[in-house]
Amino acid sequence: MSHFVVPNHIIVGNGVLNEAAPILKKMGNKAFIVTGKHVAVSDMMKKLISLLDENDIRYVVFDGIIGEPDDVMIENGVDLLKNSDCDFIIGIGGGSPLDSAKAIAAMAVNGGSISDYNGKEISGEILPLAAIPTTAGTGSEATKFTVITDSQKGIKMLLKGDVLVPKLAIVDSKFTVSSPKSVTAATGLDALTHAVEAYTSKKAFSMTDTLAVSAVKRIMKYLPLAFNDSENINAREQMSIAALEAGICINNSSVTIVHGMSRPIGALFHVPHGMSNAMLLKECLSFAVSGAYEKFANLGRETGVALDSDSDKSVAEKFIDSLKTVCDVCQIPTLEGYGIDKDEYYSKIPKMAKDAVASGSPGNTVRNVTEKDCIEIYKKLYA
Ligand SMILES: [Zn+2]
């Protein structure tokens, strides 16, 4: 059975923020804005605040999201929200503030601590949520997922629930122009990973396939352009659209082995999410490919990396090589190049493999993935 869940309202394009005013006005009278320290003092925030002021919408700013979010940051946000009389929530920033806005919205109506909900479906009527991404990558503006680190256990929890899908997604590519190169690379490759994983997932179906192919084609063409020229407005807009498409894909057909194995690296070695995905992309998909030559080959033919006369196996392998080329263009380092100590990494491999499989994501891969397989891939990654 296939379900297709998307935000109620999506506004997408270059300079579209102001078009959101009438919808924001209907969402409530006082907004609880969730963001990070950097975006809180940016021009993007000034634009949002002046839009709210012009429309008589009051607001409180919570800028306590520093790096990738953990349970403590979420608790601080919930405390402030409960004392604020806000009646809707706006998340603005990269994936971290958007994920945090969802988690805060959920924990304001659900009891206990956030770690109680790891692996369970989050429900309950949450405050209306608007999401404004300032990077082109995570697709969090369109998903029912939020990833929050459990600071006690050192794991990244994947929390989910249809109630977490934002009611409104404002995808204004103008907001991504100030992204530094490393962020453009990591977030863009995160979106690429989403699209490829969703397309080759066991849960893929026609609706997600269409958007996944579209996203992969846009990213392979425009990510190198956006990376090399941050002011390339067309490339930025295409990347924003692709990230949104890819976000909708994972919302409905899930991620697979790459994300499953990426979260433990992120949690234990503090590698940014998109970067750890990119580091894993070639090894993980080279493992998965034999379960789905035809689908990987479709992506290869759609992106023009091989001749029509090539066999599915050959095109599929060329496509995976082309993903590695994009990672190289975007200057993705190796684990060693990132500064991760080999002995420490090897000592953590059994835990990472266990956590990866336990997250459930590798189970969506078309080829069966065991802990032993993850151990082998983690080892190859540092070889
Ligand atoms: Zn991701």
Side-chain angles (χ1 to χ4, degrees), residues 325-354:
T325 305
V326 176
C327 291
D328 291 343
V329 168
C330 291
Q331 299 168 8
I332 294 300
T334 59
L335 288 167
E336 191 177 10
Y338 190 74
I340 294 172
D341 178 74
K342 187 172 185 178
D343 290 342
E344 198 190 345
Y345 176 80
Y346 266 71
S347 74
K348 297 279 166 50
I349 285 179
K351 174 180 165 51
M352 292 198 293
K354 193 164 178 274

Side-chain angles (χ1 to χ4, degrees), residues 118-258:
N118 190 17
K120 293 182 195 149
E121 192 82 10
I122 291 181
S123 57
E125 197 62 35
I126 69 168
L127 292 179
L129 180 62
I132 310 176
T134 61
T135 60
T138 69
S140 184
E141 69 274 15
T143 75
K144 60 184 169 188
F145 305 110
T146 172
V147 178
I148 306 295
T149 297
D150 181 329
S151 54
Q152 298 290 316
K153 292 187 186 152
I155 54 166
K156 283 194 174 191
M157 300 181 287
L158 174 65
L159 307 153
K160 62 185 173 196
D162 284 348
V163 293
L164 301 181
V165 178
K167 294 272 178 289
L168 170 65
I170 306 168
V171 185
D172 187 339
S173 51
K174 216 175 212 176
F175 284 5
T176 68
V177 173
S178 58
S179 288
K181 264 178 132 63
S182 60
V183 173
T184 300
T187 53
L189 290 167
D190 186 27
L192 180 60
T193 309
H194 291 163
V196 175
E197 289 197 280
Y199 187 70
T200 57
S201 157
K202 273 182 194 164
K203 295 179 181 169
F205 65 108
S206 56
M207 302 282 285
T208 55
D209 280 354
T210 305
L211 289 172
V213 170
S214 171
V216 170
K217 286 168 78 173
R218 280 184 219 275
I219 297 166
M220 296 295 271
K221 182 171 178 186
Y222 291 104
L223 177 57
L225 297 174
F227 179 77
N228 287 317
D229 175 11
S230 65
E231 305 279 327
N232 185 328
I233 301 300
N234 183 41
R236 290 292 195 184
E237 187 169 356
Q238 295 298 324
M239 283 304 300
S240 285
I241 295 167
L244 172 66
E245 289 173 326
I248 293 171
C249 288
I250 58 165
N251 200 40
N252 296 288
S253 57
S254 297
V255 288
T256 64
I257 182 172
V258 186

